[in-house]
Amino acid sequence: MRPVYVPDPAVDARVSARVDELSALYQAGQYAQARTLIERILAEEPENAWSSTLRDWQRDLSVLGQPAPPLSVNEWVQGGPPSPKGTTLLVFFEAWCPHCQTEMPIVAKKSRDLGAAGLTVVGLTQQSRGVTSDELRSFLLASGASFAVGKEDGTTSAAYGVVGIPSMAVIRDGVLMFRGHPSLLSDEALQQWLVEPLPPQ
């Protein structure tokens, strides 16, 4: 068990400055460099106000470049399974989640704007907390979410390491390119995966 962190203003100021640098790397889609910086921060300041978040980001970054887990969907509410080829944006959400209610119209716009460039969007929900199928469909309609949406039993969420919602993953030709909170996925990174070949493995 890690020790309880006692706030240290000097440590937190240093780490906050590095987190600003880290955010810039995320926005530029430079995830390998972001992973290196997180490792450096945690090595230098293992306990700080950001340490829990940094470890979450480190966990998300650790799977990039690996084969994407298969989707386990019990029922397609609309649309159907994506092609194994091309670029797919997965969004894990629940209709009752306030942050998901904010994020889904943004995802719907990405789907409309980048669909012609080859982006496939798939929503995944466990339809939890008593949300009915009619309520789910009303939520999707209100969000403008016309992309494929499937109901899953938590198997896919677990396979993708989802611990909070909304959460996203990007798959390109079966390989994980991104996993994490939507705020960490830049449009620049998403667009480059639509037009650039995968780097050599």
Side-chain angles (χ1 to χ4, degrees):
M1 178 179 292
R2 286 191 294 270
V4 174
Y5 175 62
V6 177
D8 183 327
V11 169
D12 291 343
R14 287 196 300 271
V15 173
S16 291
R18 305 305 295 277
V19 169
D20 289 342
E21 182 182 351
L22 186 58
S23 296
L25 291 174
Y26 264 103
Q27 288 304 307
Q30 297 176 344
Y31 300 114
Q33 294 93 324
R35 181 164 50 187
T36 299
L37 180 56
I38 290 172
E39 291 170 355
R40 188 178 308 135
I41 295 170
L42 291 174
E44 294 170 358
E45 310 281 4
E47 299 304 325
N48 60 76
W50 285 89
S51 58
S52 178
T53 298
L54 290 170
R55 289 187 177 97
D56 287 343
W57 291 351
Q58 186 178 44
R59 184 196 66 240
D60 289 336
L61 290 168
S62 70
V63 299
L64 301 191
Q66 296 182 14
L71 302 186
S72 177
V73 173
N74 299 332
E75 176 190 347
W76 289 99
V77 178
Q78 58 189 31
S83 168
K85 295 293 185 182
T87 302
T88 300
L89 171 64
L90 302 180
V91 55
F92 297 86
F93 75 97
E94 296 299 334
W96 53 261
C97 164
H99 298 294
C100 302
Q101 292 164 9
T102 299
E103 192 65 33
M104 284 297 273
I106 298 170
V107 176
K109 186 175 187 309
K110 288 184 194 297
S111 179
R112 291 191 299 271
D113 293 349
L114 299 176
L119 179 68
T120 299
V121 177
V122 175
L124 294 168
T125 176
Q126 296 180 50
Q127 200 173 331
S128 59
R129 295 196 183 179
V131 171
T132 66
S133 294
D134 285 344
E135 288 170 337
L136 174 59
R137 290 187 176 90
S138 294
F139 168 73
L140 296 174
L141 182 63
S143 301
S146 58
F147 47 81
V149 174
K151 289 192 283 188
E152 56 115 356
D153 61 8
T155 301
T156 302
S157 292
Y160 279 83
V162 174
V163 295
I165 52 172
S167 185
M168 287 183 172
V170 178
I171 305 163
R172 184 153 194 257
D173 294 338
V175 175
L176 269 171
M177 308 302 290
F178 173 88
R179 185 182 72 180
H181 191 274
S183 65
L184 300 175
L185 176 61
S186 69
D187 287 344
E188 291 78 10
L190 191 54
Q191 291 183 51
Q192 78 178 5
W193 294 324
L194 297 175
V195 298
E196 293 182 3
L198 282 173
Q201 296 296 311

